[in-house]
Amino acid sequence: ALFLLTCPAIAEEKIQWTDWTQQTFETAKKENKFVILDLEAVWCHWCHVMDETTYQDPKVIELINSKYIAVKVDQDSHPELSNRYEDYGWPATIVFSPVGNEIVKRRGYVPPDRMAATGFGEYRPVAAGDSEEARAQNRRIELKLTER
């Protein structure tokens, strides 16, 4: 059992959450990724369900770690975010462009299959990396999503 706890391959199979800072967006620009914000509350039942199901699903983990900079924020620790997105309830999932423009806002629980597939996945950047082609594809997606 100790081997399982210390095996690097298993440790990597978790979402790499980071803090809500300006550095988050600088990293997103540098890596040409979107930012996904999981805004939750400690008392929220569906936030815990999403943590235990959606964010533990291997397809969701792979998607988020490869295409996004993932940020998890408790609403009590960032009242400015809590106030800004209070109409979305808990949990709230917000996707931002690398420069901080809101692209998608989803309220409530997002099941793993929807997060990893076309329902939510349509909001992910289709190209990773720093090539001009990848940046152009992601700009087209951002424009399309902001037109909705």
Side-chain angles (χ1 to χ4, degrees):
L2 183 57
F3 171 76
L4 293 176
L5 295 174
T6 60
C7 178
I10 292 173
E12 291 176 317
E13 293 183 22
K14 295 200 179 283
I15 293 175
Q16 304 303 307
W17 298 105
T18 189
D19 295 325
W20 178 260
T21 66
Q22 185 56 42
Q23 179 62 41
T24 301
F25 289 94
E26 291 169 18
T27 302
K29 282 187 254 181
K30 181 180 174 188
E31 296 180 14
N32 194 34
K33 293 182 175 182
F34 288 172
V35 174
I36 187 167
L37 170 64
D38 174 50
L39 185 59
E40 57 182 33
V42 294
W43 44 261
C44 166
H45 168 76
W46 287 108
C47 298
H48 295 290
V49 172
M50 200 154 160
D51 279 342
E52 294 167 8
T53 60
T54 305
Y55 294 133
Q56 298 301 318
D57 183 272
K59 290 179 183 176
V60 172
I61 293 168
E62 192 279 325
L63 168 68
I64 290 178
N65 285 341
S66 67
K67 305 286 185 181
Y68 295 93
I69 303 296
V71 179
K72 183 182 289 276
V73 171
D74 177 72
Q75 58 99 20
D76 288 328
S77 67
H78 280 277
E80 77 283 7
L81 291 174
S82 180
N83 291 335
R84 185 173 178 182
Y85 298 110
E86 66 187 349
D87 292 342
Y88 286 87
W90 317 113
T93 306
I94 300 98
V95 176
F96 298 89
S97 73
V99 295
N101 298 326
E102 292 175 10
I103 297 172
V104 176
K105 295 183 263 190
R106 290 285 178 255
R107 71 179 75 207
Y109 173 72
V110 180
D113 57 341
R114 183 162 181 224
M115 179 75 82
T118 57
F120 192 89
E122 71 179 275
Y123 306 114
R124 63 185 159 178
V126 295
D130 195 32
S131 71
E132 184 57 36
E133 181 181 339
R135 287 192 299 274
Q137 283 182 318
N138 290 337
R139 279 193 298 273
R140 285 191 296 273
I141 290 172
E142 182 179 343
L143 288 172
K144 179 181 173 186
L145 292 171
T146 55
E147 291 173 356
R148 292 182 175 184

